[in-house]
Amino acid sequence: MSVPHSKKKITILGVTGSIGQSAADVILSDPERFDVQVVTANTNAELLAAQAIKLGAKKAVIADESKYDLLKSKLDGSGVEIAAGEEALLEAASEPADLILAGIVGIAGLKPIMKAIEQGTCVAIANKEPLVAAGPLVMAAAKQHGTTLLPVDSEHNAIFQVFDFDRPEGIEKITLTASGGPFLKWSTDQMANATPEQAVAHPNWSMGRKISVDSATMMNKALEVIEAHYLFGVEPDRIEVLIHPQSVVHSMVEYKDGSILAQMGASDMRTPIANVLAWPERMETPGQRLNLTEINQLSFEQPDLEQFPALKMAYECLEQGLYACVALNAANEAAVDAFLTHNIGFLDTIGCVSHILGDITKTELNTIDDIISYDEDIRQKAYGFITGRHKKAVAVS
Ligand code: NAD
Ligand code: MG
């Protein structure tokens, strides 16, 4: 007989995004298990209101204050409380909950994650950029406040499931798998002309636009190497990346005795999301299932660092220090945005990051405010590079 337990109180930051919507799907598949507290979004008031109603949320928060009236009209008479603005977003992260799902994209999620950690609320982190830019501070705060962090990123969730946290000394290395993205077989010339539409068409995963572009440049895997280093405390020389185009093995831990423990599953984020939402229990999910008999081949190969230089940058940044990781992330966010808005070409994204990394000097970053201000400086420099590229492209055309 199953023991009745009280509902788990969940807050979702970024409920209108790809991660947020997958989480909503998981929650709605087993509504008896969850009680949704606050849901947040950046600008899409209509979708936020619809998600809040569907999930029976207590409160909906929109970061963009100019969308307050629209949100209010959409939720009129629903009983859902509303709020808007950056402060309201931070408050959302500090309201009582059993688990906060961090599904915002980019460094914008850093302060809400820190707020949730300081509150002692378990945080399920999909939002990798704050870990890349502030990993040591995020991990130290979690330790200080006794807060549990659960990785949602499919590779990190895979490692989390097979990592022996009680005896980490038995671990030799961790292997992150990478699908290689939509341009795995493309030449550099072809990639130079890639459009945003081609870049976001991922062969195996359906995701938000920024992470889809990151997957196409392999910057996503670069960010994930840094993310894994901080989350699991494993040194960079013991973190390996292998191209695995089938996306069946989501990542692996190799032990000293030669055992390799891997987690497998369909390419469906609802599995890692269900894993963290139900943790430490297991729940059924509405997601796709892996049928092993339908898999003809599992292949693994070394990534081509000439074709995808982003990976090399991750290891170099970890070697240099935190400021370099902040710069990598900030320059990349600015460049991806410029690519998605047709202001620079596909290869200019990595060109921008490389240019910025070639131009930074060692900088002490001790607080979240230090990081946010350095991130802003780097973005300004990246905008300079982007404007230069854009002018050149316009002059040529
Ligand atoms: P998305 O673009 O689909 O959604 C982003 C969400 O963040 C939206 O709800 C948006 O309203 C909110 N948001 C954006 N900017 C904001 C701001 N300035 N302030 C407040 N809210 C803001 O992105 P996604 O694909 O769901 O990815 C979210 C995060 O999860 C990213 O860090 C990504 O790297 C990570 N992740 C995503 C996937 C995936 O399958 N989508 C897999 C692994 C990791
Ligand atoms: Mg991933």
Side-chain angles (χ1 to χ4, degrees):
M1 205 178 74
S2 66
V3 184
H5 46 243
S6 60
K7 287 185 169 191
K8 206 166 187 176
K9 293 186 168 60
I10 310 280
T11 279
I12 307 175
L13 306 177
V15 76
T16 54
S18 161
I19 288 288
Q21 295 190 62
S22 294
D25 215 20
V26 172
I27 288 170
L28 292 170
S29 74
D30 194 353
E32 289 309 307
R33 200 181 260 274
F34 304 108
D35 190 4
V36 177
Q37 306 299 298
V38 191
V39 288
T40 80
N42 193 21
T43 57
N44 191 341
E46 277 108 339
L47 186 53
L48 173 61
Q51 294 281 77
I53 290 170
K54 216 161 64 170
L55 289 162
K58 296 196 169 39
K59 189 171 178 181
V61 175
I62 189 114
D64 180 348
E65 282 182 85
S66 72
K67 297 288 165 63
Y68 178 86
D69 289 342
L70 181 57
L71 183 64
K72 189 158 183 274
S73 71
K74 294 284 170 194
L75 286 173
D76 211 22
S78 66
V80 181
E81 238 184 278
I82 60 167
E86 211 178 309
E87 274 307 307
L89 188 65
L90 288 183
E91 267 167 39
S94 42
E95 292 206 14
D98 296 313
L99 180 139
I100 292 194
L101 176 62
I104 289 175
V105 59
I107 196 79
L110 174 55
K111 280 191 172 175
I113 286 176
M114 290 305 286
K115 203 58 166 190
I117 291 175
E118 284 158 16
Q119 216 67 20
T121 312
C122 173
V123 192
I125 304 188
N127 186 190
K128 64 190 77 179
E129 296 86 354
L131 278 171
V132 171
L137 280 74
V138 170
M139 299 312 288
K143 196 167 174 200
Q144 184 191 343
H145 297 278
T147 304
T148 304
L149 302 181
L150 301 173
V152 179
D153 211 347
S154 59
E155 298 75 3
H156 305 73
N157 182 263
I159 293 167
F160 175 70
Q161 293 193 46
V162 295
F163 193 100
D164 188 348
F165 289 94
D166 292 330
R167 293 178 189 80
E169 64 283 358
I171 290 170
E172 193 158 292
K173 68 174 176 193
I174 61 182
T175 302
L176 300 175
T177 54
S179 69
F183 303 151
L184 182 60
K185 301 280 173 222
W186 285 36
S187 68
T188 308
D189 282 351
Q190 283 175 303
M191 283 200 280
N193 296 313
T195 63
E197 292 66 35
Q198 290 169 320
V200 300
H202 197 281
N204 304 348
W205 298 93
S206 158
M207 310 180 285
R209 284 162 69 77
K210 194 257 173 186
I211 183 175
S212 297
V213 175
D214 285 346
S215 298
T217 56
M218 291 264 288
M219 181 56 84
N220 183 48
K221 212 49 57 181
L223 301 179
E224 290 183 356
V225 166
I226 302 174
E227 182 186 9
H229 166 64
Y230 291 130
L231 276 177
F232 303 109
V234 173
E235 287 315 308
D237 62 355
R238 294 195 295 130
I239 303 175
E240 166 191 63
V241 172
L242 289 181
I243 302 285
H244 169 49
Q246 299 85 11
S247 297
V248 167
V249 173
H250 295 308
S251 278
M252 301 168 250
V253 174
E254 182 165 343
Y255 288 85
K256 281 185 176 156
D257 60 9
S259 301
I260 298 176
L261 302 195
Q263 185 263 359
M264 297 192 282
S267 319
D268 187 329
M269 285 307 292
R270 286 173 294 187
T271 293
I273 289 172
N275 179 258
V276 295
L277 289 181
W279 186 86
E281 295 173 12
R282 297 269 181 178
M283 65 180 285
E284 289 194 13
T285 71
Q288 297 161 39
R289 283 297 169 113
L290 184 63
N291 182 346
L292 290 172
T293 62
E294 283 172 4
I295 301 165
N296 298 321
Q297 192 197 17
L298 292 180
S299 60
F300 301 92
E301 54 189 271
Q302 293 290 344
D304 178 345
L305 297 182
E306 296 304 315
Q307 190 190 6
F308 297 108
L311 259 189
K312 222 166 23 187
M313 294 178 189
Y315 290 95
E316 286 162 5
C317 287
L318 279 172
E319 175 91 37
Q320 283 179 65
L322 187 60
Y323 72 102
C325 296
V326 178
L328 174 85
N329 181 65
N332 183 57
E333 282 196 35
V336 170
D337 196 44
F339 169 64
L340 283 171
T341 49
H342 299 271
N343 284 308
I344 56 172
F346 179 72
L347 292 180
D348 291 332
T349 56
I350 295 301
C352 175
V353 179
S354 163
H355 169 79
I356 295 291
L357 292 179
D359 200 33
I360 50 173
T361 48
K362 194 169 167 53
T363 309
E364 277 292 318
L365 302 173
N366 297 315
T367 64
I368 294 294
D369 285 340
D370 287 351
I371 289 173
I372 288 176
S373 126
Y374 187 65
D375 168 282
E376 197 43 55
D377 289 350
I378 295 291
R379 267 166 218 265
Q380 292 309 325
K381 289 198 176 117
Y383 296 144
F385 175 91
I386 289 162
T387 313
R389 274 299 143 108
H390 180 61
K391 275 192 191 137
K392 219 190 238 170
V394 171
V396 169
S397 65

